[in-house]
Amino acid sequence: MRLTEQNVKEVIVDASMQKAVFIFFYMNAPECEKAGTALRSAISDNNAYLSLVEADVSEPVGQAIAGQLGLQSVPTVVIMKNGRPVEALQGDEIVEKLQPTIQKYMPSEGDMLLKAALSEVEKGNIAGAVVKAKEAYNLDPKNLEYKHFYAQLCIKDKQLEKAHELLDNAGREEQEMQEYKDLISALALADQAADSPALKELEAKFSNDPENADIATSYAAALAEAGKKGKALEILFTLLQKDLSNAEVKKTFLDLLNTMQGDPLQKEYRRKLYTIMY
């Protein structure tokens, strides 16, 4: 994008609030051509995380901005972030240092996964968001932003066992964070909602007659709905081991597995099912 008098604020100040803006100050000279080619090749117009603005210092607007920034020579690249210049490359170092400089302002793989998860949330696809958040967390389990976002989505998706796994053994520093305290409160409320009178009634019936497939299937379905999918799978698989021909049990088991995209239990119990089937 070329810098003009009409778009100065839009392409430099406003845009830099959202992403890093690389302003390329140049003139019609051989020493600027190589740098310009490298920049255009590295930063496309549809780059979601970086923006390239070309400012010809032979034009009044380019000269004015270069003067405000105190530039002495071209070619020069000034990186703007949050409305301020944060870094500059000059002369030959534009080509030499361009790639490592670009990487500094690109989000990490984990950050991009988190952004993808947020996009899935906006679409209402919580299960898909959980998968993306889990991938980000697995890349960097010590990153509390990733961990807490993953836990938050697990609570929303009623994966309460996983949420407990993520949150129950936090260190002292994490426990003092307000975000962690909020998650613990949300998890406690989810646990309370899951521990309904209806579920307790089914639990009592199952305890009294664990061999009854109808009762066990109803109890497993209720457990899954309450976020206790691991326990539900265990009950259903035990039934299938005893009677693989029970169509209702098998359907409930497979339906539950199909809701667990990205959960290690999905692969584990599918493998177990194949073992007893074949």
Side-chain angles (χ1 to χ4, degrees):
M1 182 182 297
R2 287 179 61 83
L3 184 69
T4 67
E5 291 182 8
Q6 290 73 33
N7 68 9
V8 170
K9 182 175 182 295
E10 176 189 346
V11 303
I12 294 181
V13 180
D14 296 345
S16 72
M17 295 297 180
Q18 307 299 323
K19 56 185 178 179
V21 176
F22 283 54
I23 311 174
F24 175 46
F25 293 92
Y26 71 99
M27 63 170 57
N28 186 15
E31 58 267 29
C32 296
E33 290 180 8
K34 186 177 180 181
T37 299
L39 283 159
R40 292 181 204 105
S41 175
I43 306 174
S44 63
D45 290 340
N46 60 357
N47 191 305
Y49 306 103
L50 306 175
S51 180
L52 174 62
V53 176
E54 299 185 44
D56 188 342
V57 296
S58 65
E59 296 177 354
V61 64
Q63 193 173 68
I65 299 300
Q68 289 179 22
L69 294 171
L71 302 189
Q72 302 296 319
S73 63
V74 292
T76 295
V77 173
V78 175
I79 296 100
M80 301 285 293
K81 196 82 171 114
N82 297 320
R84 299 184 299 105
V86 293
E87 189 173 354
L89 301 174
Q90 294 181 310
D92 292 340
E93 70 178 5
I94 293 175
V95 175
E96 294 169 1
K97 298 182 179 180
L98 182 57
Q99 286 305 321
T101 301
I102 283 176
Q103 290 305 314
K104 286 166 60 176
Y105 297 99
M106 287 288 287
S108 67
E109 185 180 353
D111 289 342
M112 287 192 282
L113 284 165
L114 223 60
K115 186 172 182 179
L118 283 167
S119 178
E120 294 299 327
V121 171
E122 290 171 1
K123 296 173 188 175
N125 182 13
I126 300 300
V130 169
V131 173
K132 297 295 184 185
K134 179 187 176 184
E135 289 178 24
Y137 171 73
N138 286 342
L139 284 174
D140 187 4
K142 292 183 180 179
N143 187 314
L144 294 181
E145 181 184 4
Y146 297 171
K147 178 183 178 181
H148 290 167
F149 187 63
Y150 180 27
Q152 179 186 28
L153 290 176
C154 285
I155 294 170
K156 283 186 177 181
D157 199 40
K158 295 184 179 179
Q159 295 189 29
L160 304 186
E161 294 165 331
K162 185 62 184 180
H164 274 290
E165 182 183 322
L166 289 165
L167 298 173
D168 284 351
N169 297 308
R172 180 178 299 177
E173 182 179 347
E174 183 180 358
Q175 289 178 21
E176 292 175 354
M177 297 173 65
Q178 186 59 47
E179 185 176 3
Y180 175 82
K181 294 176 182 177
D182 292 344
L183 284 169
I184 289 297
S185 296
L187 182 55
L189 288 172
D191 283 336
Q192 186 177 350
D195 195 21
S196 65
L199 182 62
K200 287 182 177 178
E201 183 180 344
L202 282 169
E203 182 180 15
K205 289 181 178 178
F206 174 73
S207 297
N208 290 330
D209 191 5
E211 301 299 321
N212 187 311
D214 290 338
I215 292 174
T217 302
S218 297
Y219 179 46
L223 284 170
E225 180 63 24
K228 301 175 182 179
K229 294 182 179 180
K231 189 173 181 180
L233 286 170
E234 182 182 342
I235 291 170
L236 292 169
F237 183 71
T238 300
L239 291 173
L240 289 174
Q241 283 181 303
K242 295 174 181 177
D243 182 9
L244 190 57
S245 66
N246 191 314
E248 185 61 30
V249 174
K250 187 183 295 185
K251 182 181 183 303
T252 304
F253 184 76
L254 292 174
D255 286 345
L256 176 52
L257 285 179
N258 289 336
T259 70
M260 299 175 67
Q261 296 298 327
D263 192 314
L265 286 175
Q266 185 190 56
K267 288 184 179 180
E268 178 186 339
Y269 275 95
R270 275 183 175 162
R271 189 166 54 246
K272 286 183 176 182
L273 178 62
Y274 296 152
T275 300
I276 62 173
M277 287 178 66
Y278 305 109

